[in-house]
Amino acid sequence: MPLALLALAVGAFGIGTTEFVIMGLLPEIAADYSVSIPAAGLLVTGYALGVVVGAPLLTVLGTKVSRKRMLMLLMGLFVLGNLLSALAPSFGLMLAGRVVASLAHGSFFGIGSVVAAELVAPEKKAGAIATMFTGLTVANIVGVPLGTFIGQAVGWRTTFAVVAALGVIGLLGIAKLVPATPRPEGARLGGELMAFRNPQVLLAMAMTVLGFGGVFAAITYVAPMMTEVAGYSEGAVTWLLVLFGVGMFLGNLLGGRFADRALMPLLYATLGGLALVLALFTVTAHHRILAAITILLVGALGFATVPPLQKRVLDQAHGAPTLASAVNIGAFNLGNALAAWLGGIVISAGFGYTSPNWVGAVLAAAALVLAVWSAALERRSPVREAVAPAAAVPTPVHH
């Protein structure tokens, strides 16, 4: 394995950690800044919206410089955002730091995938890109729980300082290990945008927003839900996030295995199962063991939707998969932002910490309806355009 892949994986690990660790630290951050839990949830929404904006924008701007230099610039932006979060004296500056860090998210995975594929022989490209994304998967099993533990034991600012240090390591690794590449030819933005005239592309992205949003409706507020409703201690939240990370890992494997064989049936099963589990979470959240099992299932079912949703977008955006792929990473995060915002609204309205689970169930069910509608429209189409299959692109676990 080229050492350059390790540098990319370290960067992915840092990005995955900073995105998800916030859920386990919401109570501490809210208390420090004297804001409510729903208000602190804006730190999730702000990050997600930053990815929505940054993914397509920086992907297009990245065509003007070499990929290596762009990856270094993205990691520099990531480090800057996390340092600002660690040092922010006010909630507003903390939110600004989250947004700055998030701008690097989508483009790093998009450009990093291309670089990883170029580092190895053609028959090993898929494995190389999967190796980079391993950093994101491991972040949710190791980085997020460890960051939550550090934040609760020493202080949440220390967590973001450590994540910034990880970003520096990733930046130095990219500078040292990733080979220099020439500036890519300018992208034809008009041609890339044509893909969005296909209604199936827009439907696939809408499924992404709603389906993955269902996961974040529950997970954004999992810390107060588990401590105030299930009766867990704050320290136990770390292990519950480990369970969620394990569920993510297993779900991603499941989705990746079956997405090529039966994409739409897999979507029906995972979205339907997710809606059901999230609805049941309003009940199981009152029982410690059942709550833990449910968190595992939410992670597994939620992330089992990622490979088929990403592949659906790539299949429908034939001829212009690069920008569509980056925008779909933004779509995952738009769902995160929407769900975190709606979850905060129902909590503020007095419906309790389990009410975001109902929001998630409704979002997942809506995604299932869109999936059925999309397949029905495809079957009714009298003529399907004959196109070459999109290049095989390993599916990112986030985003």
Side-chain angles (χ1 to χ4, degrees):
M1 180 185 73
L3 288 177
L5 289 178
L6 179 60
L8 294 174
V10 170
F13 180 86
I15 290 174
T17 299
T18 205
E19 178 183 16
F20 288 100
V21 77
I22 194 74
M23 271 74 82
L25 299 177
L26 275 186
E28 287 77 14
I29 294 173
D32 198 16
Y33 286 120
S34 299
V35 299
S36 66
I37 291 291
L42 291 175
L43 297 173
V44 178
T45 303
Y47 186 97
L49 292 178
V51 178
V52 173
V53 174
L57 177 62
L58 293 182
T59 297
V60 172
L61 293 178
T63 63
K64 308 302 180 183
V65 298
S66 72
R67 293 191 179 104
K68 175 177 180 176
R69 178 173 294 181
M70 190 61 191
L71 286 172
M72 293 172 63
L73 290 173
L74 290 170
M75 287 311 299
L77 194 63
F78 173 79
V79 171
L80 177 63
N82 280 284
L83 281 178
L84 181 56
S85 294
L87 301 173
S90 67
F91 182 77
L93 285 177
M94 170 64 175
L95 180 58
R98 291 284 292 168
V99 172
V100 169
S102 71
L103 294 175
H105 184 123
S107 293
F108 181 86
F109 285 110
I111 298 172
S113 295
V114 176
V115 171
E118 292 177 345
L119 291 171
V120 297
E123 67 273 12
K124 297 182 179 179
K125 290 181 182 295
I129 300 176
T131 298
M132 184 191 75
F133 278 107
T134 297
L136 183 59
T137 303
V138 173
N140 288 280
I141 299 176
V142 178
V144 172
L146 183 59
T148 302
F149 173 77
I150 292 173
Q152 292 175 344
V154 183
W156 62 265
R157 295 180 186 274
T158 304
T159 297
F160 288 99
V162 170
V163 171
L166 284 173
V168 172
I169 295 172
L171 172 59
L172 294 176
I174 291 170
K176 180 70 174 177
L177 301 174
V178 173
T181 56
R183 181 175 65 86
E185 296 182 5
R188 296 181 59 186
L189 183 58
E192 293 280 338
L193 291 174
M194 286 291 289
F196 296 95
R197 296 180 62 182
N198 181 356
Q200 289 288 359
V201 172
L202 300 180
L203 276 173
M205 290 183 175
M207 283 185 266
T208 296
V209 170
L210 297 173
F212 204 70
V215 176
F216 258 66
I219 296 302
T220 295
Y221 302 100
V222 70
M225 191 191 312
M226 291 299 96
T227 55
E228 299 296 327
V229 178
Y232 279 105
S233 66
E234 289 185 356
V237 173
T238 298
W239 302 108
L240 293 171
L241 289 175
V242 169
L243 273 181
F244 178 68
V246 170
M248 287 173 54
F249 178 78
L250 295 175
N252 193 55
L253 287 180
L254 174 69
R257 180 171 223 173
F258 292 103
D260 284 324
R261 304 180 189 179
L263 190 149
M264 294 310 292
L266 177 62
L267 273 181
Y268 301 153
T270 53
L271 290 172
L274 180 61
L276 177 61
V277 168
L278 286 169
L280 290 175
F281 202 9
T282 59
V283 177
T284 61
H286 294 271
H287 307 273
R288 292 187 182 184
I289 295 178
L290 293 179
I293 294 172
T294 307
I295 288 172
L296 176 69
L297 291 175
V298 169
L301 289 168
F303 276 77
T305 68
V306 175
L309 285 171
Q310 185 76 356
K311 186 175 185 297
R312 180 73 174 172
V313 168
L314 292 173
D315 287 347
Q316 298 298 328
H318 50 74
T322 304
L323 183 58
S325 179
V327 171
N328 199 49
I329 291 176
F332 279 110
N333 284 273
L334 180 59
N336 300 351
L338 174 66
W341 176 64
L342 291 175
I345 286 179
V346 293
I347 291 175
S348 297
F351 291 103
Y353 285 124
T354 63
S355 57
N357 298 329
W358 281 116
V359 173
V362 171
L363 292 176
L368 175 59
V369 171
L370 288 184
V372 174
W373 184 27
S374 176
L377 289 178
E378 198 168 34
R379 287 193 298 268
R380 292 173 189 169
S381 178
V383 179
R384 294 194 63 186
E385 183 180 2
V387 295
V393 179
T395 304
V397 297
H398 168 307
H399 352 127

